[in-house]
Amino acid sequence: NYERGICDSYRLMGIYYECRAEYSKAIEWHLKNLALSEKINDNESRLSALSDLSGQFHFLKQYDKAKFYVKEAIRLSEITPTKPRRVSVFYLNLGIYHRESNQADSALINYKKKKKKKKKIRDSTGIANVNINISTLFIDRQKYAEAQPYVSYNLAYHLRKNDEVNIWFDYFNQAEIYIGQKKYLLAQQNLESALLAAQKIKSKQKELETYQLFSRFYQDQGDYKNALEMSQKFQQLQSEIINLETNKSVIELREKYEATKREQQNKVLTAELEEKKWQKQT
């Protein structure tokens, strides 16, 4: 009758079904967690359930429901002791949901609320992460001058910290700003830096996105020969990624088949040993 433990088990069942891509079952278990946690007045479990449900509906692109549950999590966090870092994640997620559902102003409000929380706990890395979201939001809206301070801050911070992963975001965003402003020489320099950063951390996805932006960079200048070349590199890398994922799936299926086969052989062997044992006893 340990009800908090039952809540934890419900949550793990939800996560299990998420991993299996059985989303309706995942939501069912997260709702069970929410119902029980409300019944026993366990706010920690309630926050987890609300956060999990918002994330699940975001993945399904059901933004209204995703916003509803994360707003409930924010409301609950305001009346119960909650770590500022956790609250800041709720605001970040709400900002992402607004941005993806084309509500840029609401997204910006929530990003700034998250940044305020990060400043309060002096989380420099968290501030830089919020800046990436804010600058991307402004770039998407072609507000390059407003995006620039956030990108400049992040680039200086990540260079100082030698953060090779996030430096790519900064060079990439800076290149987008310069392309939008038609400062092509500066854009090219940042694109080349972004490509080197992606290759250094061996991220094919980031390399892929850089080639795609390179293609747009040349198209904007009417250089269709180089635009085509970059587009071909993009397509080649995309095919490699698809093949890699396919091969990985095939290997996993083969390993699963072999494991099942070994299990069956072990069962047969065990049965044979039991039969010999029975015969000996007889």
Side-chain angles (χ1 to χ4, degrees):
N1 294 317
Y2 177 41
E3 291 177 310
R4 171 63 189 273
I6 294 171
C7 283
D8 291 341
S9 300
Y10 285 163
R11 186 181 187 210
L12 288 170
M13 286 297 291
I15 293 168
Y16 166 76
Y17 280 112
E18 282 177 32
C19 294
R20 290 173 58 89
E22 296 181 41
Y23 304 117
S24 59
K25 287 185 179 179
I27 289 169
E28 183 183 335
W29 284 103
H30 289 317
L31 285 170
K32 282 184 178 182
N33 183 19
L34 181 60
L36 182 56
S37 62
E38 286 176 345
K39 181 183 174 183
I40 65 175
N41 200 28
D42 188 324
N43 288 332
E44 182 66 25
S45 292
R46 282 176 71 189
L47 282 172
S48 294
L50 291 166
S51 178
D52 292 334
L53 283 162
S54 75
Q56 191 62 62
F57 282 115
H58 168 237
F59 185 80
L60 295 171
K61 299 189 185 304
Q62 295 183 26
Y63 295 111
D64 287 340
K65 289 181 180 178
K67 290 173 195 172
F68 169 79
Y69 285 111
V70 80
K71 283 178 181 177
E72 284 295 297
I74 290 169
R75 185 189 61 77
L76 181 59
S77 69
E78 289 172 348
I79 58 174
T80 190
T82 309
K83 291 180 180 179
R85 189 182 297 272
R86 193 174 193 184
V87 180
S88 70
V89 170
F90 295 152
Y91 280 118
L92 175 64
N93 289 341
L94 185 56
I96 291 169
Y97 305 160
H98 281 303
R99 179 169 63 84
E100 291 185 8
S101 56
N102 298 317
Q103 293 175 306
D105 292 334
S106 297
L108 184 59
I109 290 167
N110 285 285
Y111 286 149
K112 287 184 174 179
K113 284 181 179 178
K114 176 185 168 90
K115 189 171 180 178
K116 187 178 178 181
K117 296 283 182 184
K118 292 296 183 184
K119 281 184 174 179
K120 189 175 181 180
I121 60 174
R122 297 178 181 178
D123 180 0
S124 299
T125 302
I127 291 169
N129 289 339
V130 182
N131 284 345
I132 290 173
N133 287 281
I134 294 175
S135 59
T136 302
L137 183 67
F138 281 130
I139 290 167
D140 288 345
R141 299 173 73 188
Q142 297 182 353
K143 293 187 175 182
Y144 304 118
E146 291 177 60
Q148 187 61 67
Y150 297 99
V151 176
S152 298
Y153 173 92
N154 270 22
L155 184 57
Y157 175 77
H158 290 138
L159 286 170
R160 190 166 65 249
K161 292 287 183 179
N162 197 27
D163 186 340
E164 294 177 347
V165 174
N166 284 310
I167 282 172
W168 175 85
F169 285 105
D170 304 329
Y171 284 130
F172 187 88
N173 284 340
Q174 187 64 74
E176 280 203 291
I177 289 171
Y178 284 140
I179 291 170
Q181 295 173 335
K182 301 191 183 304
K183 297 178 180 178
Y184 295 118
L185 182 60
L186 292 169
Q188 185 171 2
Q189 290 170 359
N190 280 273
L191 275 170
E192 288 169 355
S193 296
L195 187 59
L196 284 172
Q199 290 168 344
K200 191 172 183 180
I201 61 174
K202 294 180 170 54
S203 171
K204 288 187 179 293
Q205 184 59 42
K206 287 179 171 58
E207 192 177 342
L208 184 80
E209 291 178 39
T210 309
Y211 280 131
Q212 191 174 30
L213 187 58
F214 245 127
S215 181
R216 199 183 99 199
F217 163 76
Y218 284 118
Q219 281 181 21
D220 275 14
Q221 300 174 80
D223 186 349
Y224 299 112
K225 181 182 176 183
N226 279 316
L228 177 62
E229 185 183 334
M230 290 299 167
S231 181
Q232 287 169 339
K233 286 184 178 180
F234 166 81
Q235 290 169 0
Q236 183 183 350
L237 192 57
Q238 191 175 45
S239 297
E240 286 177 17
I241 292 171
I242 292 168
N243 290 336
L244 188 67
E245 289 299 318
T246 304
N247 292 337
K248 185 180 175 184
S249 299
V250 169
I251 290 167
E252 286 174 354
L253 286 170
R254 188 167 66 239
E255 286 175 351
K256 186 178 178 182
Y257 167 76
E258 293 293 340
T260 305
K261 188 177 176 182
R262 283 195 299 273
E263 187 180 348
Q264 290 172 344
Q265 288 171 343
N266 288 337
K267 285 180 180 178
V268 170
L269 182 60
T270 303
E272 288 175 352
L273 290 171
E274 286 294 324
E275 186 180 355
K276 287 178 181 177
K277 183 179 176 183
W278 178 80
Q279 288 173 348
K280 187 177 180 181
Q281 288 174 341
T282 303

